[in-house]
Amino acid sequence: MTADGGAGAGAGAGVRGGAGRVGVGFAACHHGEILQGVFLDENDRPCAGLVTLPMQGPGTRAEFTHTPGTSPGQLTVFPADRAKALRAAALAIGECAALRGQAPCRGGELTLSGDVPLGLGMGSSSSDVIAAIRAVADAYGLRLPPATIARLAVRAERASDPLMLGGRPLLFAQREGRVLEVLGDALPPAVVVGCTLGGGSPVDTLSLPAPRHDHEDVRAYERLRSLLRRAVADADTALLGRVSTESARLAQRVREQREFGLLDRIAGRVGAVGLQIAHSGNVAGLLFDPAAPDLGHRLRRCVRALRTCGIPVTRTFATGTTGTTGTISEEQLHGRAHVRRDRPTRSDTSRRRAHLPALRDDEGRLGHGGGTAPARHRHRTTR
């Protein structure tokens, strides 16, 4: 596999495109949106779009074994409820077979594993779908370009997050699978204290009402787009927080979060630059400027305030300056004098509660959130 999650021409073993050939693929998730609404495309047409907050760590790994000469009914997926990933695999088989000049071999077996919590708005279904497409392509000895993966992903799940495009800040038309604007190389640096609202319950995105926007909405979102463009260009973390907070506030009209006001007040009290909330789930975060001289103190106050209010804290991570993200070190959280080791989270929506890795708080000390989430999918041990 290549570093971007696709599979290169030399990955795996066996005959390319042959029966029993196992292809593998991986796709990361995200931490909800920084900005989501309706924007004008290059033809001044209103178009739904979003900018996600990238995050390293959780993701989906897919394995696909195709069986030439089998019928479409013999294409299976494990776990069995991953219908979107199954559709994506079928579409990818047709695409790859055409590129290889072969008849589509629609039978095969797709297995998904990973640790992306379902239904929290972290792109779990997009992660499944993209990993599945990459695994099928690898089984054919191909690496599909991101634009092709985006097209297939939208066909498979009606709307897709831009996880196939890496960590750069992009305004992405999720229902059309295309980039409306490349905002720059990286989001402004920020430290994010993640949490879950609504008790961490999963959200069936297909049950959410379809948003309706008028000309005033378009103007408001275009203004936020302009501000985010400036925030990226100037590496302005405060402006990033302002944009994400206003986007979350506007989203309240479509899907009201009871804890929005509380989260906003906590952000003000603990010195956060803003907050972000997934527009189709319950994952949220408070954003901090990593250059703040008392960052560790602010983060500890934030965690205490969230927990006091009954809001589960999940993980603390940082957006980088090159489109990457990482967890926060103990030294950043506590300072040199206090460093210590802590002991190490719709039809496709799980009915169980979703969990993220919890931050430890031993004797009031904030942990780094570097643990792993409970597995969302597990490899099958028998066929």
Side-chain angles (χ1 to χ4, degrees), residues 1-12 24-27 134 138 142-144 149:
M1 292 228 304
T2 60
D4 65 357
V24 294
F26 178 81
R134 285 173 168 164
D138 185 38
L142 299 170
R143 185 173 65 182
L144 298 176
I149 297 176

Side-chain angles (χ1 to χ4, degrees), residues 159-184:
S160 175
D161 294 313
L163 303 176
M164 73 293 292
L165 296 167
R168 286 192 304 167
L170 307 168
L171 180 60
F172 185 75
Q174 69 270 27
R175 297 173 190 166
E176 301 177 17
R178 64 190 181 97
V179 176
L180 298 177
E181 181 180 354
V182 177
L183 296 166

Side-chain angles (χ1 to χ4, degrees), residues 339-359:
V339 173
R340 59 173 288 180
R341 290 189 180 273
D342 288 319
R343 297 179 295 274
T345 142
R346 66 198 170 194
S347 60
D348 279 354
T349 300
S350 171
R351 287 181 289 274
R352 68 183 181 276
R353 286 171 67 98
H355 296 278
L356 288 171
L359 291 171

Side-chain angles (χ1 to χ4, degrees), residues 28-31 53-58 117 122 315 317-318 323-326 356:
C29 68
H30 59 78
H31 200 267
L53 177 61
M55 180 183 65
Q56 284 184 344
M122 297 176 67
R315 64 169 61 207
F317 64 97
T324 61
T325 58
L356 288 171

Side-chain angles (χ1 to χ4, degrees), residues 93-146:
I93 289 170
E95 184 82 19
C96 294
L99 290 172
R100 283 293 187 194
Q102 303 172 359
C105 301
R106 301 215 178 260
E109 194 170 70
L110 175 68
T111 302
L112 304 173
S113 61
D115 52 3
V116 185
L118 301 182
L120 288 186
M122 297 176 67
S124 60
S125 61
S126 290
S127 182
D128 283 356
V129 162
I130 294 166
I133 293 170
R134 285 173 168 164
V136 169
D138 185 38
Y140 276 88
L142 299 170
R143 185 173 65 182
L144 298 176

